[in-house]
């Protein structure tokens, strides 16, 4: 069994000005949906979705515990069996932080992201352990379209 602590998010967006773009776009789409459909339910749904997106994006990164054993991968309290995993990849971000992506076949959460510093103790062992159970696949980071769009917009 192997354990390591990583970060759940790359950036702390709680005081980042671009997070307000999410609110602005959501409000614009809400108003536009009211003009087009003239229904309060659609507009109310859009407003609630905008508020939820804002709250989720503005959460601070937290430490998460990753545990690997012969049966699977545990990310915090979520257990993923190895036979539900497709592969993994790692991307070096602009400040040298490594973004790890594990692709799964589950519908609830297809991509699992966690972030580590290259100098973090145990990182090399983590990569070796992960490589024992899953193949490294370079194309995985390009598959998550929403994550890539939000990364280009610097929202995540």
């Amino acid at each position: 069994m192997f354990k390591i602590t990583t970060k759940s998010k790359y950036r702390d967006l709680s005081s980042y000005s671009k997070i307000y773009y999410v609110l602005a776009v959501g409000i614009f789409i809400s108003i536009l949906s009211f003009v087009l459909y003239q229904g309060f339910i659609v507009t109310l749904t859009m407003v609630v979705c905008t508020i939820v997106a804002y709250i989720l994006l503005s959460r601070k990164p937290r430490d998460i515990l990753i545990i690997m054993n012969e049966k699977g991968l545990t990310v915090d309290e979520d257990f993923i069996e190895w036979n539900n995993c497709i592969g993994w990849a790692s991307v070096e971000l602009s400040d040298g932080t490594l973004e790890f992506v594990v692709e799964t076949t589950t519908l609830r959460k297809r991509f699992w992201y966690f972030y580590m510093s290259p100098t973090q103790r145990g990182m090399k062992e983590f990569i070796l352990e992960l490589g024992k159970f899953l193949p490294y696949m370079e194309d995985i980071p390009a598959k998550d379209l929403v994550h890539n769009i939000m990364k280009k917009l610097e929202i995540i």
Side-chain angles (χ1 to χ4, degrees), residues 9 22-23 33 36 39 41 46 51 53-54 60 68 83 96 102 106 112 116-117 120 133 142 154:
K9 287 176 59 175
V22 173
L23 287 176
S33 69
L36 292 176
I41 293 183
M46 291 303 301
I51 292 169
Y54 175 78
K60 294 183 183 233
M68 286 186 279
N83 59 359
V102 175
T106 60
W112 291 83
M116 279 190 242
S117 168
Q120 181 175 340
F133 299 107
E154 295 181 5

Side-chain angles (χ1 to χ4, degrees), residues 18-156:
K18 286 193 177 183
I19 195 73
Y20 296 110
Y21 293 156
V22 173
L23 287 176
V25 169
I27 290 169
F28 174 75
I29 292 173
S30 298
I31 293 170
L32 184 65
S33 69
F34 180 73
V35 169
L36 292 176
Y37 302 113
Q38 296 177 356
F40 287 109
I41 293 183
V42 173
T43 304
L44 183 63
T45 303
M46 291 303 301
V47 168
V48 168
C49 288
T50 299
I51 292 169
V52 168
Y54 175 78
I55 290 170
L56 289 176
L57 288 174
S58 63
R59 290 185 302 175
K60 294 183 183 233
R62 58 185 176 81
D63 290 335
I64 57 174
L65 179 66
I66 296 179
I67 302 171
M68 286 186 279
N69 58 27
E70 300 297 324
K71 296 178 183 178
L73 175 73
T74 303
V75 180
D76 258 354
E77 301 296 321
D78 297 315
F79 178 73
I80 311 154
E81 291 182 13
W82 291 124
N83 59 359
N84 289 335
C85 296
I86 296 171
W88 71 281
S90 177
V91 177
E92 186 173 351
L93 302 175
S94 60
D95 67 346
T97 302
L98 293 175
E99 175 184 68
F100 288 90
V101 186
V102 175
E103 183 180 7
T104 67
T105 58
T106 60
L107 293 176
R108 187 176 73 88
K109 191 169 181 182
R110 186 170 170 208
F111 296 98
W112 291 83
Y113 291 91
F114 36 91
Y115 300 86
M116 279 190 242
S117 168
T119 58
Q120 181 175 340
R121 198 177 94 225
M123 201 247 336
K124 291 179 184 176
E125 293 84 3
F126 170 76
I127 291 173
L128 291 172
E129 279 294 313
L130 195 56
K132 286 181 187 177
F133 299 107
L134 294 176
Y136 183 83
M137 302 172 75
E138 288 184 18
D139 63 329
I140 288 178
K143 290 181 180 180
D144 192 356
L145 184 63
V146 173
H147 182 81
N148 290 331
I149 288 172
M150 293 176 76
K151 193 187 291 185
K152 285 186 182 178
L153 295 173
E154 295 181 5
I155 295 178
I156 57 171

